[in-house]
Amino acid sequence: MMDTSNVPTGPRENPELEEISPPMTVVGPVAWLRANLFSSPFNTLLTILAVLFLAWVVPPFIRWAFIDATWTFPQEVIEGVRGPNRGDCTASGACWIFIQARIGQFLFGFYPADERWRVVLVFILTFGAVTGMLIERIPFKKQNAIFLFLILPILSFWLLLGGLGLEVVSTRLWGGFMLTLVIACVGIVLALPLGILLALGRRSDLPVVHLLSVMLIEFVRGVPLITVLFMANVMLPLFLPPGTTIDPLLRILVGFTVFTAAYLAEVVRGGLQAIGRGQYEGAASLGLGYWSMMRLIILPQALRISIPAIVNTINGAFMDTTLVAVVGLYDFLNIVRTGSRDANWIGTEIDGFVFCAAIYWICCYGMSRYSISLERKLDTGHKKR
Amino acid sequence: MADIAKPGRHDRQAATAWWRDERIRGLIAQAITLLIVVGAIVFLIHNMIVNREAQGRPFSYSFMDNIAGFPLSMSLIPVDLNSTITRIMVAGMLNTMVAGVASIILATIVGFLIGVMRLSPNYLISRLAAVYIEVFRNIPLLVQLCFWYFGVLKLVPNQKNSLNLLDAFFLNVRGFYLPRPLPQTGFGWIIAALAVGIVGALLLRRWSRQRQMATGERFPVLWTGIALVVGLPVLAWLAVAMIYGTPLNWEYPVLKGFNFQGGIVLLPELTALVIGLSIYTAAYIGEIVRGGIQAVSHGQTEAALALGLRRSWTLRLVIIPQALRVIVPPLTSQYLNILKNSTLAVFVGYPDFVSVFTGTVLNQTGREVEVVIITMIFYLAISLTISLFMNWYNKHIALVER
């Protein structure tokens, strides 16, 4: 048993005793290491394995991507004596000048160089409007929404496609990251309202509407996106009245929109199911009809709950845009892949794909972080009440 | 008294007008919807028939008996240039199954590993798992697939300089070569012994459970079961080896001229597809597993330990059964995703169903509608089958409410 009579109850009572910090085995980095990395023999073994794995993977990657990589063109290329090629890069490092040499094509596809400012303008406007919507502190949400969903689509359509004083740029020339963004944005903007309608249809009391919505949603969700794109590509022209033609990009947009809408519908349905009966009954007792009830009471709440899941679905849709290469569109991935097949750039496949992966990763990781932060914000809102 | 006259008019005002009756409005809305949808479908199909007839290709499935006339780089059933389109289609379906099943197995293993690592008390291990999940979940599957196929597997050495493991496994640009097992006389006995062992172990488990329920005594089912399942085949192996000689031979791949002969070859296309699909899906499965295990409240562990259950039993009898209930439904949708994503085989040239049938056959015959209909039915049927099976399994392990 410990004799407690001599133990001081605090540093103040015995000024001769210095204040002693807790032992190193309890706090501080050593303690942290012991608790988190070496708490048991098995844990120590795991730590050693993990360190070995990191030592095996990380240094070679850094050497390849940064130290041994080629970042600048050789002098002859800068002077314009000849074009760059794979031979200008070190054999053991990444060939980043391949990306530099082709960046215009990777971003804009075959869009004429003199007209690319139009794409940049559309991008800046969209980016600005979307940022304004996403960040809560920025005011003018209503005006912004009207601009984003009504004015901007028409404006972008005119700017990108041309006509009315601008040079017409056929969609066959569209490509690269721009095409990826166009497909993703158009698909998502059109799929949202369609998805909400389908979700409402699936929750409807009217058997015919319910059945039709369920059939469409389950059919689309049951088949792979590639087959939907195939179908849109080869069957849409057949289904139109004889003599009509339909732009290949438009076919893909139709397929992509319907596909995304089916997935969004299920997400929105989840939100709708989370709304209590009391809300419906309350709205009905106020004398609201079906559409006013949905528009004013139910949907604002349901959509708010499902925003994180909607962002996740949008994220998935963004990644799915890579599949449009199957019908011969030159989206970002496809144009990088085509670029590395160029005779001057044989052997740049890995460099191209790593660049692609990095760009996609930044976009998707950003979106998923945004969805997580939203989820947290909405979550605390619920708990406070 | 004139005020209360004309009661008929009064009634008419009180009753709701028929066009405001909710049921009637519902019926009208449905009728209009149905009319629009049916009208649109009839219009589209009419256009299709007119268009197809104008092109001289009326709707018909007779092309399925035609000779396809193109080879497949891989097939489980024998096909050649004279095979019918139906046969080629079935070969493609089987190839889809091969890629799907292999990816499902691999993704499940890797995914559970990642999920458990994510929860490890070891900081490094859990960080590694987190990085794995965040990296592979946020890069499009097709980019990963292209990376593995065009980036990695196309850059391995050629046949002469194959990567060699134990002179039995070889990796080169033509694929991954494995030894092929060749069963000899008496091999059937070993299979039979294995079957007997499995049935015996299952019966033993039932018996021991009944005994435990009745008397409370436990029986070491696990060890006896393993002994039965492993021991019986080993005994049979030894017996067959003594009577007939070795029951199983291996055919090793050997470099002859420019190529390897013998053994089993996994096409680089298949290898890349399975690697890409499993690595991508494992990131999602890892998150599902982590969420499932975390969903079991810590009180359950504490209660089980307080009852005196061992750590391993706590895990097996308390945590895992409850975690599985949370894990299984999203896991099902991941399996369905693997199946649907296996269609990305088109991009790497693996002869799966879509690549062979919806791609090549459609291009050759120009029978868009017929081909697309079969494709849709195939995927819908598989999706439905997996969903039904998983729903059954889910019901099987779901909470029994008393």
Side-chain angles (χ1 to χ4, degrees):
Chain A
M1 276 277 103
M2 244 201 314
D3 184 3
T4 51
S5 59
N6 283 341
V7 175
T9 46
R12 294 263 174 267
E13 290 179 19
N14 192 344
E16 281 167 34
L17 276 182
E18 279 180 50
E19 205 172 325
I20 304 171
S21 55
M24 264 184 35
T25 48
V26 182
V27 295
V30 175
W32 184 88
L33 283 178
R34 277 181 68 148
N36 288 299
L37 298 180
F38 304 103
S39 61
S40 66
F42 179 64
N43 226 340
T44 311
L45 179 73
L46 284 181
T47 305
I48 293 170
L49 284 178
V51 168
L52 284 178
F53 175 76
L54 287 175
W56 179 55
V57 170
V58 175
F61 178 76
I62 291 179
R63 274 190 77 89
W64 176 82
F66 300 103
I67 300 170
D68 287 353
T70 310
W71 294 88
T72 49
F73 293 115
Q75 197 57 39
E76 300 157 48
V77 175
I78 297 172
E79 284 166 4
V81 180
R82 62 174 177 87
N85 60 50
R86 180 67 177 89
D88 297 331
C89 295
T90 54
S92 63
C95 188
W96 297 134
I97 59 172
F98 161 60
I99 311 290
Q100 284 176 47
R102 294 274 176 147
I103 191 72
Q105 211 181 55
F106 290 172
L107 291 181
F108 301 101
F110 309 104
Y111 212 87
D114 293 341
E115 308 291 329
R116 284 177 184 173
W117 61 269
R118 286 152 52 176
V119 182
V120 176
L121 185 63
V122 168
F123 176 75
I124 291 173
L125 287 175
T126 314
F127 188 76
V130 169
T131 319
M133 289 303 287
L134 293 188
I135 298 178
E136 247 183 334
R137 271 170 298 163
I138 298 177
F140 305 118
K141 284 277 183 289
K142 200 163 189 180
Q143 291 88 329
N144 202 338
I146 293 174
F147 175 73
L148 186 62
F149 290 108
L150 288 179
I151 302 174
L152 190 62
I154 301 167
L155 195 65
S156 314
F157 184 77
W158 171 60
L159 277 172
L160 292 179
L161 209 57
L164 296 176
L166 286 176
E167 191 191 323
V168 175
V169 181
S170 152
T171 57
R172 265 175 302 146
L173 299 177
W174 298 16
F177 200 62
M178 165 216 166
L179 184 68
T180 294
L181 285 182
V182 166
I183 294 172
C185 292
V186 175
I188 288 159
V189 166
L190 296 180
L192 254 179
L194 187 59
I196 293 173
L197 275 182
L198 281 175
L200 288 178
R202 190 164 188 169
R203 297 267 300 159
S204 167
D205 297 328
L206 311 176
V208 171
V209 177
H210 172 79
L211 197 69
L212 286 174
S213 310
V214 171
M215 270 164 54
L216 182 62
I217 294 173
E218 291 306 326
F219 171 74
V220 173
R221 278 161 46 91
V223 297
L225 175 57
I226 286 195
T227 55
V228 175
L229 293 180
F230 260 125
M231 185 166 144
N233 194 40
V234 297
M235 278 171 67
L236 267 188
L238 270 187
F239 280 140
L240 292 179
T244 31
T245 51
I246 172 167
D247 188 280
L249 179 60
L250 192 59
R251 298 178 207 168
I252 291 314
L253 282 176
V254 171
F256 189 72
T257 304
V258 173
F259 187 80
T260 312
Y263 280 81
L264 279 175
E266 285 300 275
V267 168
V268 174
R269 181 168 74 113
L272 286 173
Q273 276 174 345
I275 307 298
R277 274 181 66 95
Q279 298 292 327
Y280 290 89
E281 288 163 358
S285 71
L286 284 176
L288 293 181
Y290 178 80
W291 290 106
S292 345
M293 169 172 25
M294 286 303 159
R295 194 169 54 86
L296 298 171
I297 312 284
I298 308 298
L299 276 179
Q301 302 183 66
L303 288 181
R304 202 179 143 79
I305 300 174
S306 38
I307 282 177
I310 289 178
V311 175
N312 277 340
T313 312
I314 288 177
N315 201 350
F318 180 68
M319 294 206 269
D320 280 342
T321 55
T322 47
L323 301 198
V324 301
V326 80
V327 292
L329 293 182
Y330 285 95
D331 74 311
F332 185 48
L333 174 65
N334 200 16
I335 210 155
V336 172
R337 203 170 61 153
T338 316
S340 60
R341 284 209 204 107
D342 186 326
N344 282 331
W345 296 106
I346 297 281
T348 51
E349 289 90 356
I350 290 192
D351 318 46
F353 292 136
V354 168
F355 170 69
C356 248
I359 301 289
Y360 277 114
W361 187 82
I362 291 169
C363 298
C364 298
Y365 186 69
M367 264 191 272
S368 85
R369 293 316 295 180
Y370 176 72
S371 128
I372 290 173
S373 77
L374 264 184
E375 209 164 340
R376 284 208 185 115
K377 205 183 287 168
L378 296 175
D379 202 28
T380 50
H382 264 283
K383 271 178 192 157
K384 268 182 205 156
R385 261 188 276 139
Chain B
M1 285 304 170
D3 290 349
I4 37 171
K6 297 175 186 166
R9 207 167 99 194
H10 184 86
D11 268 358
R12 228 181 293 143
Q13 275 173 348
T16 326
W18 65 267
W19 64 86
R20 290 202 183 282
D21 187 325
E22 204 177 314
R23 271 173 307 169
I24 295 178
R25 287 176 76 129
L27 283 179
I28 293 173
Q30 296 188 69
I32 294 175
T33 321
L34 200 64
L35 211 67
I36 293 176
V37 171
V38 171
I41 291 176
V42 168
F43 174 70
L44 295 177
I45 290 183
H46 170 77
N47 283 337
M48 192 268 285
I49 293 171
V50 170
N51 279 326
R52 286 286 294 264
E53 256 158 23
Q55 295 164 358
R57 306 174 289 140
F59 186 88
S60 131
Y61 272 109
S62 58
F63 72 97
M64 294 292 288
D65 296 329
N66 294 356
I67 284 167
F70 61 90
L72 293 184
S73 54
M74 172 185 153
S75 169
L76 294 187
I77 53 172
V79 291
D80 54 28
L81 292 176
N82 295 321
S83 303
T84 59
I85 288 182
T86 312
R87 196 172 175 82
I88 290 269
M89 180 188 80
V90 172
M93 287 177 177
L94 291 174
N95 284 348
T96 290
M97 302 285 188
V98 169
V101 170
S103 308
I104 284 177
I105 294 172
L106 208 60
T108 309
I109 296 172
V110 179
F112 270 75
L113 201 69
I114 292 290
V116 172
M117 277 169 69
R118 185 75 187 81
L119 290 172
S120 161
N122 187 313
Y123 177 81
L124 262 184
I125 294 288
S126 96
R127 281 284 91 195
L128 269 181
V131 168
Y132 176 97
I133 291 173
E134 290 303 342
V135 165
F136 289 109
R137 219 168 45 150
N138 287 312
I139 297 175
L141 174 58
L142 187 55
V143 176
Q144 299 187 30
L145 212 55
C146 285
F147 178 82
W148 293 117
Y149 183 65
F150 298 104
V152 177
L153 286 178
K154 280 276 153 181
L155 299 185
V156 298
N158 60 19
Q159 290 92 310
K160 290 264 180 202
N161 307 309
S162 303
L163 300 176
N164 181 344
L165 185 69
L166 303 171
D167 271 337
F169 301 88
F170 298 91
L171 180 69
N172 62 43
V173 281
R174 286 296 188 84
F176 185 47
Y177 290 81
L178 318 160
R180 181 199 295 274
L182 294 176
Q184 308 289 315
T185 343
F187 189 72
W189 288 109
I190 298 170
I191 300 288
L194 183 70
V196 170
I198 291 174
V199 171
L202 288 177
L203 288 177
L204 190 72
R205 194 179 75 152
R206 233 178 97 185
W207 168 78
S208 89
R209 210 171 257 178
Q210 277 168 358
R211 196 182 70 151
Q212 196 185 350
M213 288 293 175
T215 65
E217 282 176 80
R218 286 183 64 86
F219 185 81
V221 190
L222 188 65
W223 296 112
T224 45
I226 289 177
L228 272 176
V229 174
V230 178
L232 278 183
V234 169
L235 284 179
W237 183 290
L238 293 177
V240 170
M242 285 210 294
I243 301 167
Y244 301 106
T246 176
L248 188 66
N249 270 338
W250 294 93
E251 183 194 77
Y252 294 101
V254 185
L255 186 64
K256 277 186 186 150
F258 291 110
N259 228 329
F260 276 88
Q261 304 274 315
I264 301 174
V265 55
L266 295 182
L267 293 182
E269 290 81 23
L270 176 63
T271 319
L273 186 67
V274 171
I275 290 178
L277 271 177
S278 334
I279 286 185
Y280 176 77
T281 316
Y284 287 89
I285 294 182
E287 274 294 274
I288 292 169
V289 169
R290 180 186 68 92
I293 295 178
Q294 278 183 337
V296 181
S297 94
H298 195 59
Q300 297 283 326
T301 317
E302 287 167 352
L305 292 176
L307 283 175
L309 287 185
R310 273 191 242 140
R311 279 255 168 213
S312 57
W313 289 11
T314 309
L315 203 64
R316 214 179 71 217
L317 300 174
V318 179
I319 314 277
I320 291 179
Q322 297 189 65
L324 272 186
R325 272 180 214 140
V326 184
I327 291 174
V328 167
L331 195 61
T332 315
S333 61
Q334 286 309 321
Y335 287 170
L336 286 174
N337 278 348
I338 287 190
L339 172 82
K340 288 184 245 163
N341 284 336
S342 72
T343 53
L344 265 62
V346 176
F347 290 93
V348 293
Y350 173 70
D352 83 322
F353 175 62
V354 164
S355 160
V356 167
F357 191 63
T358 322
T360 315
V361 168
L362 191 152
N363 277 340
Q364 278 196 356
T365 60
R367 300 276 168 186
E368 313 90 352
V369 187
E370 294 88 336
V371 166
V372 166
I373 288 177
I374 292 186
T375 312
M376 299 288 176
I377 291 176
F378 173 68
Y379 280 102
L380 284 178
I382 297 190
S383 294
L384 219 63
T385 316
I386 296 188
S387 302
L388 285 179
F389 172 74
M390 278 301 182
N391 282 346
W392 168 82
Y393 178 71
N394 203 21
K395 214 169 264 170
H396 183 68
I397 64 165
L399 197 63
V400 183
E401 301 260 10
R402 281 174 229 262

